[in-house]
Amino acid sequence: MVEESPTVQILSTDGTFQPSAAAEEYLPLLDSLTHADHEQFYRDMAVIRRFDLECTNLQRQGQMALWPPSHGQEAAQVGSARASKPQDHIFPSYREHVVAKIRGVDIFGIVELMRGSTLGGWDANDAANGNFHGYTLVLGTQTLHATGYAMGIKFDGDIGTGDADRDAAVMVYFGDGSTSEGDVNEAMVFAASYQTPQVFFLQNNQWAISVPVSTQSRIPLYLRPRGFGIPSVQVDGNDVLASFAVTAKHLGDARNGLGPSFIEALTYRIGAHTTSDDPSRYQTDEQLAYWVARDPILRFEAYLRSQGAGDDFFADVTQEAEDFAADIRRRTLAAAPVAPASMFTNVYSEPHPVMDEQKAWLEKYEASFGEGNR
Amino acid sequence: MSSLETTTQDLPMAKAINAGLRKSLTDSDRVLLMGEDIGTLGGVFRVTEGLKAEFGENRVLDSPLAESGIVGTAIGLAMRGFRPVVEIQFDGFVYPAFNQITSQLAKITNRGRGNQSMPVVIRVPYGGHIGAIEHHQESPEAYFAHTAGLRVVSPSTPNDAYWMIQEAIDSNDPVMFFEPKSRYWPKGPVDFSASAAPLHASRIVRTGTDATLVGHGAMVSMLLQAAEIAAGEGISLEVIDLRSLSPIDYAPILSSVTKTGRLIVCQESAGFVSVGSEIAATVAERAFYSLQAPVIRVSGFDVPFPAAKVETFFLPDADRILEAVDRALAY
Ligand SMILES: Cc1ncc(C[n+]2csc(CCOP(=O)(O)OP(=O)(O)O)c2C)c(N)n1
Ligand SMILES: [Mg+2]
């Protein structure tokens, strides 16, 4: 007898529609998707992969301090992001570039962040940015912000009203390494205690820089939240349909007032943690080959072709990706210098004498060199 | 409360803060209290007594027992538009929340380019004089005063406590609110009609001409005691209550030093890299020609807060302050 996998998978690794037993209950969530939606999922994934490549190149050319690519994790991110509703709030870590894009953020903001032009690239309170909150670099801290925000949604009564445009949920992204951080565990305690409308979305890309997930946990990570009283599911994170269906279900439950849940998306970081990393020191060729064979974009391409998508469609997507990357390059090279005194603005929301004093001092000091004398 | 004749009332500081919190909870339904044992019990110091019964469990939260979790979720609630007021049970238990306070709460406004204010107040009962076991008598203000993005204040009287807690809640910036726990119980007049000074103003609480004493929180009563004793010996000491440790309101300090020529900065915390060190350096930079003696710091020693049986040898008292005054006057 074959042991039944707990993993929700809808497309087999070769792109055939072949739902696992665990996927059965999620299949109805796919009903709402049209062929155009499927094409959009593919577009999302392909464009962001090209963006990642462009940003990596720009970093190599000295245009950025660092670049954290999302190569390999596109399906986990696109599926989950496309399952969110406009009124939902998203709390990312620092690798969810396509989630930002899907929510409406101009992701040149991520470039500015990684260039060192700013400490935060976009205004999470601007409706145009789809409630996509700031990137968070201190691992795990954002899970508590997400839980607090979700507590607020609940206190405000914006769940379980039956009004599909009002009921809201929160989704927070984090990695396998981050699950060891105290904050992630405290977030689960608070989420369970307050029964927050929220989805914990774990991208298990198998690595925390160089440390394998086996160092973080001796049990599959999706089992851990159950000890906190939070229901959980493991999904094939390289299967965009599975990622969509599972997230749609759990965000829906959260909006309906059924409390928090936890999704572990099994995926893989193809390549380096960031441009500062050297994965050849810890990643084996066999492991890489195993996951490259499970590439989320190739898998979905095979599926789309089986559904009738032709070369024209794929050529069109390639062109869009090229154009997007070219635009990012152009804007990066044209980026204006940062005004030194900008470091003093926005440290506080209200007037602060020390900021005024030190800003004035710096400006006077700089001016003392005279035009062009520095 | 009925009108004019009752605008002033004698209250202990704990009850004054309670009254201030009640006022803020009443004025805005976005104000929330969060912390360990603050609901049903009313807090280990009873500062929040009765508030859960009055405002309900969604306004006064008996939080799960995790300081980082409390502050981290308070940040999320602030993003949602709430104005959370967090109680840390004791000074020595603020450190599990240090990361959320210094790397998140303090920096989110700046990171968000000013689009995300962080109106969160963190109340910390702090300081010695209560004979408690380890971690219950510390003065960790300097860690937070050192961090840009935070405001740090500490009331010394019930009246200031009543007003400053409300002003801190009204602030759109995060405020660390250090409550001198040894002053929770002595009563003092609270004037419900008007605040004595803005949140970040320091204040001359006794005028004098021979030397200036500066301190905050529980230290202010020590300074006043020292000044009283000195007056009996013909020495006139000016006493300034800092009230705000970040930013520091230097104007009254500098004009006082211009007058007296001598400054003694007093604090319960260890002196090394302390708020007192910062004031000493700044006054030396800005009032050098007015000084007739070096600025002298009177602090706790650079040791862990000692066992309670010897805390009186650690904590500056009127005698230690007057010893420093003598040294300053000897120049
Ligand atoms: C609190 C903290 N410790 C260490 C780091 C440095 N660091 C950045 S990313 C990373 C690994 C994170 O692994 P994981 O959570 O699995 O996320 P992934 O990068 O794989 O997406 C480390 C150690 C950090 N940013 N924050
Ligand atoms: Mg990882």
Side-chain angles (χ1 to χ4, degrees):
Chain A
M1 206 179 96
V2 188
E3 206 188 308
E4 220 165 69
S5 163
T7 313
V8 175
Q9 187 188 58
I10 288 169
L11 299 179
S12 64
T13 50
D14 64 4
T16 313
F17 188 86
Q18 210 170 67
S20 64
E24 281 305 325
E25 62 170 308
Y26 294 99
L27 292 178
L29 279 300
L30 295 175
D31 292 348
S32 65
L33 295 178
T34 63
H35 184 67
D37 290 327
H38 288 167
E39 288 191 344
Q40 184 61 49
F41 290 5
Y42 182 85
R43 221 174 259 280
D44 292 338
M45 294 196 288
V47 171
I48 216 68
R49 183 166 292 185
R50 183 66 187 80
F51 166 78
D52 262 324
L53 175 66
E54 196 64 28
C55 290
T56 300
N57 291 344
L58 283 164
Q59 194 281 335
R60 292 288 180 248
Q61 292 159 7
Q63 290 294 326
M64 275 188 264
L66 183 81
W67 188 256
S70 58
H71 190 138
Q73 301 177 215
E74 295 92 345
Q77 295 186 11
V78 168
S80 54
R82 285 288 172 196
S84 62
K85 284 194 175 184
Q87 69 269 29
D88 294 337
H89 279 254
I90 312 294
F91 288 77
S93 56
Y94 46 79
R95 214 187 272 289
E96 288 72 34
H97 313 322
V98 74
V99 182
K101 187 167 183 292
I102 288 171
R103 297 296 296 188
V105 173
D106 173 3
I107 58 173
F108 184 65
I110 306 175
V111 174
E112 290 185 294
L113 195 66
M114 298 296 168
R115 260 176 83 72
S117 300
T118 174
L119 299 174
W122 51 90
D123 173 8
N125 289 322
D126 179 344
N129 293 324
N131 303 330
F132 186 81
H133 290 258
Y135 269 9
T136 316
L137 302 179
V138 186
L139 298 171
T141 51
Q142 78 279 13
T143 57
L144 281 168
H145 307 161
T147 299
Y149 198 96
M151 287 164 67
I153 290 178
K154 189 171 182 189
F155 293 160
D156 284 339
D158 288 341
I159 51 171
T161 67
D163 178 346
D165 296 326
R166 172 175 171 189
D167 292 338
V170 168
M171 180 154 54
V172 59
Y173 290 91
F174 54 103
D176 45 293
S178 304
T179 62
S180 297
E181 289 284 359
D183 277 2
V184 175
N185 293 274
E186 292 187 21
M188 288 195 275
V189 169
F190 279 67
S193 188
Y194 290 96
Q195 285 297 292
T196 49
Q198 117 180 75
V199 170
F200 289 89
F201 196 94
L202 162 63
Q203 292 173 82
N204 177 357
N205 66 4
Q206 316 298 325
W207 296 103
I209 309 186
S210 66
V211 179
V213 63
S214 56
T215 302
Q216 315 295 343
S217 182
R218 297 292 296 269
I219 57 159
L221 281 166
Y222 79 97
L223 294 178
R224 195 181 282 171
R226 296 185 185 175
F228 292 85
I230 296 177
S232 61
V233 57
Q234 188 181 59
V235 61
D236 182 341
N238 285 8
D239 174 349
V240 71
L241 295 183
S243 174
F244 172 86
V246 165
T247 311
K249 162 86 164 65
H250 290 279
L251 280 176
D253 286 354
R255 290 184 210 105
N256 290 334
L258 300 182
S261 58
F262 185 112
I263 298 169
E264 178 189 16
L266 291 175
T267 183
Y268 196 76
R269 194 193 76 214
I270 304 281
H273 168 69
T274 67
T275 43
S276 304
D277 182 32
D278 174 9
S280 72
R281 285 172 175 255
Y282 53 85
Q283 181 179 250
T284 66
D285 292 345
E286 302 77 67
Q287 193 179 24
L288 185 59
Y290 173 91
W291 284 98
V292 167
R294 282 157 182 76
D295 186 280
I297 299 184
L298 294 178
R299 188 191 305 194
F300 203 52
E301 177 180 340
Y303 174 71
L304 285 182
R305 285 191 187 277
S306 77
Q307 300 299 299
D311 288 343
D312 285 358
F313 167 72
F314 293 103
D316 186 56
V317 173
T318 303
Q319 190 56 50
E320 180 182 329
E322 287 302 324
D323 293 347
F324 190 81
D327 187 53
I328 290 291
R329 167 168 292 271
R330 182 186 57 71
R331 290 170 73 191
T332 303
L333 299 180
V338 182
S342 68
M343 75 174 84
F344 298 105
T345 36
N346 304 323
V347 177
Y348 297 87
S349 291
E350 296 186 4
H352 193 286
V354 177
M355 297 301 103
D356 297 345
E357 215 174 274
Q358 296 188 357
K359 179 170 184 260
W361 187 91
L362 178 64
E363 281 169 346
K364 195 167 152 221
Y365 173 77
E366 287 297 316
S368 73
F369 293 94
E371 198 66 32
N373 285 348
R374 268 211 104 184
Chain B
M1 187 176 306
S2 67
S3 70
L4 287 172
E5 73 269 28
T6 51
T7 55
T8 300
Q9 202 184 334
D10 265 356
L11 286 179
M13 185 186 284
K15 288 230 170 1
I17 298 171
N18 180 281
L21 291 171
R22 176 177 290 104
K23 180 83 166 56
S24 292
L25 283 161
T26 305
D27 288 351
S28 165
D29 63 5
R30 301 313 271 177
V31 174
L32 301 178
L33 310 190
M34 307 168 70
E36 295 159 9
D37 304 291
I38 68 161
T40 306
L41 182 66
V44 294
F45 293 104
R46 306 295 182 267
V47 171
T48 53
E49 187 152 49
L51 298 177
K52 180 182 168 189
E54 192 171 334
F55 296 94
E57 62 175 10
N58 281 358
R59 302 287 308 285
V60 181
L61 281 59
D62 268 323
S63 305
L65 210 168
E67 288 76 11
S68 187
I70 295 169
V71 175
T73 53
I75 289 169
L77 283 157
M79 289 171 168
R80 178 76 186 173
F82 287 89
R83 305 181 84 84
V85 184
V86 167
E87 175 175 305
I88 299 291
Q89 200 157 62
F90 283 90
D91 36 58
F93 307 134
V94 71
Y95 308 115
F98 196 73
N99 172 47
Q100 284 288 350
I101 296 172
T102 57
S103 285
Q104 303 304 323
L105 182 61
K107 296 191 171 75
I108 283 172
T109 298
N110 187 45
R111 193 179 300 145
R113 299 178 176 184
N115 295 306
Q116 181 66 70
S117 62
M118 273 291 124
V120 177
V121 177
I122 308 214
R123 297 179 37 239
V124 186
Y126 87 100
H129 302 286
I130 66 163
I133 57 170
E134 198 186 359
H135 315 297
H136 294 71
Q137 305 217 77
E138 300 181 9
S139 293
E141 306 92 287
Y143 295 114
F144 303 100
H146 185 71
T147 301
L150 299 176
R151 294 172 183 271
V152 183
V153 302
S154 180
S156 69
T157 64
N159 190 60
D160 269 351
Y162 172 77
W163 286 105
M164 287 168 74
I165 189 64
Q166 295 177 64
E167 290 157 359
I169 293 169
D170 287 344
S171 169
N172 286 321
D173 288 316
V175 179
M176 300 295 299
F177 194 87
F178 283 94
E179 300 172 3
K181 66 172 96 74
S182 64
R183 307 300 300 171
Y184 271 150
W185 302 283
K187 284 187 178 180
V190 175
D191 179 352
F192 292 98
S193 63
S195 171
L199 183 60
H200 293 294
S202 60
R203 227 158 59 86
I204 296 173
V205 290
R206 180 183 172 116
T207 53
T209 51
D210 296 331
T212 304
L213 307 179
V214 164
H216 69 275
M219 189 55 66
V220 175
S221 63
M222 300 289 166
L223 301 179
L224 290 170
Q225 215 182 308
E228 193 59 35
I229 296 168
E233 296 166 4
I235 300 166
S236 166
L237 299 177
E238 185 143 295
V239 177
I240 297 181
D241 179 357
L242 277 175
R243 298 172 86 254
S244 175
L245 311 182
S246 178
I248 291 169
D249 177 18
Y250 279 108
I253 302 171
L254 291 170
S255 64
S256 177
V257 168
T258 307
K259 178 175 68 176
T260 64
R262 293 177 169 82
L263 177 65
I264 295 107
V265 190
C266 308
Q267 55 196 357
E268 283 185 31
S269 74
F272 186 71
V273 199
S274 60
V275 171
S277 306
E278 178 60 32
I279 293 173
T282 302
V283 170
E285 279 178 13
R286 299 194 189 172
F288 185 72
Y289 288 110
S290 300
L291 287 169
Q292 292 168 39
V295 179
I296 298 178
R297 283 170 300 160
V298 180
S299 315
F301 298 108
D302 296 324
V303 299
F305 193 97
K309 293 288 184 223
V310 293
E311 72 169 288
T312 52
F313 297 91
F314 172 92
L315 292 165
D317 58 8
D319 284 340
R320 284 251 292 273
I321 296 161
L322 290 170
E323 187 274 340
V325 170
D326 287 346
R327 273 191 284 144
L329 291 172
Y331 275 88

